């Protein structure tokens, strides 16, 4: 029997009112300095008043607020694993490299929140070379990646093992999800990642074997054909895409990697907007999580632009569509 999320959706409807729309993003863009942008966000209630006013503190606090809110309303958080798996693998990658190098580094800059497993648990698993306490797929990938790194010293090979495992677990979680929003998100996320990987491999001249090893299987793309296209560069990848359901992405890919990223994020936003009118399922909660992630990503872009004194147009052309 499907669960009733009516109460949770009602709460989310109220929270949607505080999401940044295009007018607020324009106000943030108009802030002349990095410090002014931080103060603008603080005035909007962003960040943790107990912590210094920095971009990372603000953005981390907003991510934590999002998951804290959702966890108050949904007892079984595994329904959102499709969103959380990537953060787990990000932390696993950081933990393995930290264990390998044995360097003392600021953990707050290495690990992210929002995953299924606490970062401290992931770090301990890598440090002790015992991954049995992690989810099964993650444990298998972690053991393989660490063993590969210890025997070869090849950080890139370690990365592709973990990146592929992350994508494949995300794809499986999407396939198993009851809600269409989660299924669509997983499919697009994995397909977009494969396209990025193939394009990057082609650009730097990677072999067919390397490219095929890096790509995650997904029904929406023929990864063998994609890998072969990558050998001939970005235009060949775009030509391949024109024969798939991702044909509209071909033009964006030809423009630039940034244009392709924007196309993918905007497509997700366009897919989740109809959830505003669906009060009985998990869909609106999933849509809110995605809307918040998109909002945080856009704010990060603006802050990075201001921090590095880049022209406003440099970020304006990369800003995504907003949910509200």
């Amino acid at each position: 029997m499907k669960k009733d999320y009516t109460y949770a959706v009602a709460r989310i409807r109220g929270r949607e009112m505080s999401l940044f729309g295009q007018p607020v993003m324009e106000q943030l863009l108009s802030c002349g300095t990095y410090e002014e942008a931080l103060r603008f966000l603080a005035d909007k209630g962003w960040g943790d008043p107990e912590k210094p006013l920095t971009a990372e503190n603000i953005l981390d606090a907003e991510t934590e607020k999002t998951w804290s809110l959702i966890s108050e309303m949904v007892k079984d958080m595994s329904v959102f694993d499709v969103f959380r798996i990537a953060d787990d693998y990000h932390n696993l990658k950081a933990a393995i490299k930290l264990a390998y190098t044995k360097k003392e580094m600021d953990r707050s800059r290495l690990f992210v929140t929002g995953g299924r497993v606490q970062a401290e648990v992931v770090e301990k698993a890598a440090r002790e070379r015992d991954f049995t306490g992690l989810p099964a797929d993650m444990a298998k990938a972690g053991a393989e990646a660490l063993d590969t790194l210890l025997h070869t010293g090849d950080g890139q090979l370690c990365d592709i093992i973990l990146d592929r495992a992350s994508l494949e677990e995300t794809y499986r979680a999407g396939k198993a999800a009851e809600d269409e929003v989660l299924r669509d998100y997983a499919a697009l996320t994995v397909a977009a990642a494969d396209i990025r990987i193939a394009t990057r491999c082609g650009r730097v001249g990677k072999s067919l074997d390397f490219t095929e090893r890096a790509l995650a299987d997904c029904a929406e793309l023929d990864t063998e054909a994609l890998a072969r296209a990558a050998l001939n560069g970005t235009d060949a990848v775009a030509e391949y895409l024109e024969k798939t359901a991702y044909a509209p992405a071909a033009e964006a890919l030809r423009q630039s990697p940034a244009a392709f990223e924007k196309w993918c994020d905007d497509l997700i936003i366009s897919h989740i907007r109809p959830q505003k009118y669906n009060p009985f399922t998990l869909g609106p909660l999933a849509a809110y999580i995605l809307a918040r992630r998109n909002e945080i990503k856009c704010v990060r872009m603006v802050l990075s632009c201001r921090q590095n004194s880049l022209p406003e147009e440099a970020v304006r052309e990369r800003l995504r569509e907003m949910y509200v």
Side-chain angles (χ1 to χ4, degrees), residues 173-188:
K175 283 292 185 183
E178 293 184 3
D179 197 275
E180 184 180 8
V181 171
L182 300 176
R183 294 194 297 270
D184 287 349
Y185 170 82
L188 177 58

Side-chain angles (χ1 to χ4, degrees), residues 16-264:
E16 285 177 354
M17 301 297 292
S18 63
L19 289 171
F20 287 2
Q22 207 62 45
V24 178
M25 290 306 300
E26 288 293 335
Q27 288 179 292
L28 180 60
L29 269 171
S30 69
C31 293
T33 66
Y34 172 67
E35 290 74 19
E36 187 180 341
L38 292 178
R39 287 194 297 271
F40 175 86
L41 291 169
D43 289 343
K44 290 288 184 181
W46 278 48
D48 182 345
E50 301 299 320
K51 294 183 178 180
L53 197 59
T54 67
E56 287 307 315
N57 284 343
I58 286 177
L59 299 174
D60 286 348
E62 292 309 303
T63 298
E64 290 174 8
K65 287 177 188 177
T66 301
W67 287 114
S68 177
L69 172 65
I70 296 298
S71 65
E72 288 175 12
M73 301 181 291
V74 179
K75 291 183 179 179
D76 181 11
M77 289 293 287
S78 68
V79 294
F80 296 117
D81 279 357
V82 69
F83 299 142
R84 306 169 74 198
I85 288 167
D87 289 333
D88 281 332
Y89 278 88
H90 170 95
N91 289 340
L92 181 58
K93 189 186 298 186
I96 286 174
K97 291 187 176 179
L98 196 63
Y100 176 73
T101 61
K102 297 182 172 62
K103 288 183 178 179
E104 286 298 324
M105 299 181 70
D106 182 2
R107 267 61 174 172
S108 66
R109 300 184 65 85
L110 290 176
F111 299 107
V112 298
T113 57
R116 300 164 299 174
V117 186
Q118 289 185 340
E120 294 81 2
V121 175
V122 178
E123 184 183 3
K124 182 174 183 290
R127 184 176 62 251
E128 298 180 356
R129 301 181 189 179
D130 180 5
F131 299 94
T132 54
L134 303 182
D137 291 327
M138 192 176 168
K140 180 181 178 182
E144 181 185 356
L146 180 57
D147 185 65
T148 298
L149 188 58
L150 290 171
H151 283 86
T152 68
D154 190 336
Q156 188 176 53
L157 190 55
C158 171
D159 285 349
I160 69 168
I161 290 170
L162 295 176
D163 289 342
R164 177 169 177 165
S166 174
L167 291 170
E168 290 182 341
E169 190 172 351
T170 297
Y171 191 76
R172 288 192 295 271
K175 283 292 185 183
E178 293 184 3
D179 197 275
E180 184 180 8
V181 171
L182 300 176
R183 294 194 297 270
D184 287 349
Y185 170 82
L188 177 58
T189 295
V190 176
D194 276 347
I195 294 166
R196 283 195 302 273
I197 291 166
T199 304
R200 192 180 307 122
C201 286
R203 191 180 301 120
V204 299
K206 292 295 185 181
S207 68
L208 178 63
D209 180 68
F210 182 95
T211 305
E212 287 181 334
R213 186 171 183 178
L215 297 177
D217 291 333
C218 66
E220 290 73 18
L221 294 173
D222 180 343
T223 53
E224 291 184 9
L226 179 60
R228 288 194 298 272
L231 295 176
N232 296 309
T234 301
D235 282 340
V237 173
E239 288 175 9
Y240 165 73
L241 290 182
E242 288 171 344
K243 304 170 188 175
T244 73
Y246 296 98
E251 182 179 351
L253 187 65
R254 287 190 178 102
Q255 288 178 30
S256 69
F260 174 71
E261 295 287 348
K262 183 179 186 305
W263 181 89
C264 293

Side-chain angles (χ1 to χ4, degrees), residues 256-259 261-262 265-266 297-298 301 310-321:
S256 69
E261 295 287 348
K262 183 179 186 305
D265 288 344
D266 287 350
K297 180 184 290 187
C298 289
M301 289 180 190
L310 299 176
E312 187 174 307
E313 286 307 312
V315 68
R316 187 180 293 279
E317 65 184 11
R318 290 174 171 79
L319 279 184
R320 278 54 171 160
E321 291 184 19

